[in-house]
Amino acid sequence: LVSGHLTTIHGICVWSKGHNVRALDTPVRAPASVIQTHSVGRVLTLACKIFANADEAISMMGVVPRLFLIDSFGFIFRAYHARARSGAPPMRTTTGISTEAVYIFHNMLRKLIETHKPDYLAAVFESEGPTFRDEAFSEYKANRTETPPDLLDQIPWIKQLLEAWRIPIMEFANFEADDVIGTLAKRFEAKGLDVVIVSSDKDMLQLVTEHTTMYNPMKEDKWFDIAETEAFMGVKPSQVADLLALKGDSVDNIPGAPGIGDKGAKDIVQKFGSVEAALDRAAEVERKMYRESLQNHRDQILLSKRLATIHTDVPIEVTLEDLVVVQQDRAKLKEVYQGLEFYSFLKELGHVEDGRPRDFERLSTQDELDAWLAAIPEEAPVAVAVSSAREGTLDTPEIGLSWQTNQGRTTSPPLPAAAWSRLRITHDAKASMQALAALGVEARNLEHDVMLYAFLLTAEPAVADLANLSERYLDRSLGSDPAEHAEAILSLFDKLASEVDAQGLRDVYEQIDRPLAPVLAAMEQIGVRIDPDALGAMSQTMDAELRRLSAHIFELAGKTFNINSPQQLGKVLFEDLKIPFPGRAPKGKISTAADVLDQLSAEHAVVQAVLDYRQVSKLKGTYVDALPALIRPSTGRLHTTFNQVGAATGRLSSLNPNVQNIPIRTEMGREIRRAFVPRDGWKLIVADYSQIELRLLAHMSRDPVLTEAFRNGEDIHTRTAAEVMGVPPLMVTPEMRRGAKAVNFGIVYGQTAFGLAAALGIDRKEADRYITAYFARYAGVRKFIDATIAEVRKTGYAQTLIGRKRPIPDMHSRNPNARGFAERTAVNTPLQGTAADLIKLAMIRIDKLLAGRETKMLLQVHDELIFEAPPAEVEEMRVLVKREMEQVYRLEVPLIVDVGVGDNWRDAK
């Protein structure tokens, strides 16, 4: 019977009744999977064509298929609000489309199909238009709040998802979903099917029978049969409407019987069996309030029962064949996943290939390479992908080339010199330059970097990897062939370059991102020298300190235990020592995370000792012991990798080692910096922007007090303390200045009174007064914050002075935590992002001026640049670096750079 993708069914053999073969009057065309999977529902659908009807088919087959009916909007609405109450951040696409309801519904649907393998399935939705309940009672559902707009926006996506899964959508004008479900359940139960209602609505329990159950995926997959329903509701399923008629339903605004609550309603229904019987025998009710309610509100109670009763006789035309579960439309499902940016689901789905051949070949000889290059039109840019050789191996990099989509060539070096000028497009230009440099080629013509294009458009660090970009934008998984990579890069260029132009981001790319790549490549190649002996001595000192701290902790705890075990530490702190946990433990678990211990440090000396132990242990493992192992044997230096797409604000990040995270505020952190040294006889020059983000705040806000302070060269923290405390600058104490510093760096990023109180160890009311006084004196800052938030709420993105954009889709979120974070990000991004842009511009300018000099730029860490210079160039470079950094961009207030010179990084600060 099976032939290709379609099967012609000429007859069917029902094995449960013996070899009973019936012939079809007309052969049936059906998917081959119908026969191959032996799905009860699918075979039954074909059997219905052979026998007179479904009843006969079921009878002949001797099996009971299941029909699942999804209370779609009821499930979506409850799941949406449950997630909101949990405090979980909302889900958004990069374009701001809300996706959490679709995501929850998708996961429920997939689990339902994979776990329970329904034979028939339908998704029932509420319809538009008044129903008989609205006509009977104008206040029906009057208490319901409006559906949140971001939830309404997701309903069309959910329906597209169902269409892609080929699951029928049941939606009938003027009929509620409950009544449609009730009708389908009764109709198909009568035809011998088992029916499962997928819902979390207790009203649906009135439909439960011997062959109809309710499955609630929101309550840990709870199933309700007759016994479970009675245990849960206190009445039989057939009495649920009576129960609701008496106690009422605030959600649907069903009035019920005044004065009769849940317990009273259960007692009455259990005693009399129904509302009608209770009304007729109201005199027998012992409790006066219940008795009088029944006697005085008969019509209202009967109306309530009518409103609460699910009707099972809706005139809708639905056949069993309409509901059969069939194969999903993978092409349509792919489109939905792409629109919702469900990339993990796209990866699971695989790739719906476009059918176009991709021509990836190897050019084995120089003649083949020359012939291929000669055939490329002169104006056509070539995309290049280079496989990197591993350090310390004899592997030779391979090169992938492509100049038109769906074709590419892999070759081994060398390429003819003329070919290098044609290489214009790549992924991660910095890495490509380094790989080509290993071949002795200076590739300065790489104009287009699809990695940087994607990051400019999304500000998402996760987009960097070429495989991710291919999955996301091309719906294509990549193999290991460099030619395939080159072709993917070319295809990505076709998609992304024009969008960069359309979004007005070309100038940012040309001024900063593109010219910075070779600067970073050179810095990575040069590396930085460290003193392993200094680190070795530090490691021994830290070992001794850890032993001392361990003994101190054990003494304070009164026992020995594994300090590195969160479970053992939690038991000691919260059970043995009875230290009160701050607030409610997440999900019933006791946490020993740093933020928790910080709050408890004043409660018991052991907590601070544990924090000290963790800090020493982390520094020792992350840097002191790890850095010597990262020294490259061929150079004797550390070669960190800078990441241009590592932070959404545009700041550079680094790894192996992460130099950005080496602490500066602790003595041990400063000692680690002491191990960073220049080559023998040279000096390190460290240039650091002074309070650049506060200076940018003054420029952007035009606040007169802030601007005046910076123009006059005042200490901004002292000035703020004086303004807020109402005292002359000379009377500002160190403690007052410390508080002002916390305010300056905290409030502009949305720090709350609670956060400020925790940071300063002061009362919350005092923190409130501090914040109020700050904004009273710095009114321009308040206006800037409000105007920035309003602008980002309108446009959907924040922007730096240079023009870099960061999409912030949660500005309209109904989740206050997510919305608050979005607002803080909206204010933070122009300041941090502009600071990042400015130091990058300075690096590009300084790099050009270093040509012909021996001085090298080694590291960029936050607002610092670190150089290695020979003695003869130190003074010249001190002046040059300071000048270029301070004059990189004209602001309303001066940019100030502090420059130090020393024999190591610590001493040069």
Side-chain angles (χ1 to χ4, degrees), residues 387-400:
S387 65
S388 298
R390 298 191 306 275
E391 175 75 12
T393 72
L394 298 176
D395 291 352
T396 300
E398 290 189 320
I399 300 171

Side-chain angles (χ1 to χ4, degrees), residues 113-170:
I113 293 173
E114 292 177 354
T115 304
H116 303 295
K117 295 179 172 57
D119 302 295
Y120 302 94
L121 184 59
V124 184
F125 281 82
E126 297 289 351
S127 64
E128 296 183 358
T131 68
F132 74 89
R133 293 182 181 86
D134 298 299
E135 295 170 358
F137 183 50
S138 61
E139 296 300 307
Y140 178 64
K141 293 188 176 181
N143 290 341
R144 290 201 172 182
T145 58
E146 276 193 42
T147 304
D150 62 334
L151 176 55
L152 280 177
D153 291 343
Q154 295 180 70
I155 301 301
W157 283 103
I158 290 173
K159 290 183 176 179
Q160 287 187 52
L161 182 69
L162 288 164
E163 290 169 0
W165 281 76
R166 292 193 173 113
I167 295 171
I169 297 171
M170 301 285 116

Side-chain angles (χ1 to χ4, degrees), residues 557-606:
K559 63 187 295 187
T560 60
F561 62 97
N562 184 355
I563 302 170
N564 298 314
S565 167
Q567 293 78 15
Q568 293 186 36
L569 177 61
K571 184 177 184 301
V572 168
L573 297 181
F574 305 115
E575 295 181 19
D576 298 345
L577 298 178
K578 309 296 183 186
I579 298 175
F581 189 82
R584 189 173 66 180
K587 297 183 179 179
K589 296 180 180 179
I590 297 298
S591 171
T592 59
D595 59 335
V596 173
L597 296 190
D598 283 339
Q599 297 179 60
L600 297 174
S601 58
E603 296 287 339
H604 197 290
V606 73

Side-chain angles (χ1 to χ4, degrees), residues 4 138 186 377 384 387 389 557 582 654 712 744 773 779 811 814 839 847 866 872 880:
S138 61
K186 180 180 179 182
V384 60
S387 65
S654 62
N712 293 339
N744 279 331
M811 295 296 290
R814 92 262 178 228
I839 200 167
D847 178 73
I866 302 166
L880 182 151

Side-chain angles (χ1 to χ4, degrees), residues 75-94:
F75 174 85
I76 296 164
F77 192 85
R78 286 172 174 81
Y80 173 90
H81 285 285
R83 180 179 171 86
R85 288 192 298 272
S86 74
M91 299 172 62
R92 299 282 190 274
T93 66
T94 54

Side-chain angles (χ1 to χ4, degrees), residues 619 662-674:
L619 289 177
I662 299 176
I664 184 61
R665 293 184 176 85
T666 65
E667 183 56 35
M668 284 190 174
R670 289 189 288 272
E671 281 299 299
I672 293 172
R673 291 186 171 213
R674 186 170 66 87

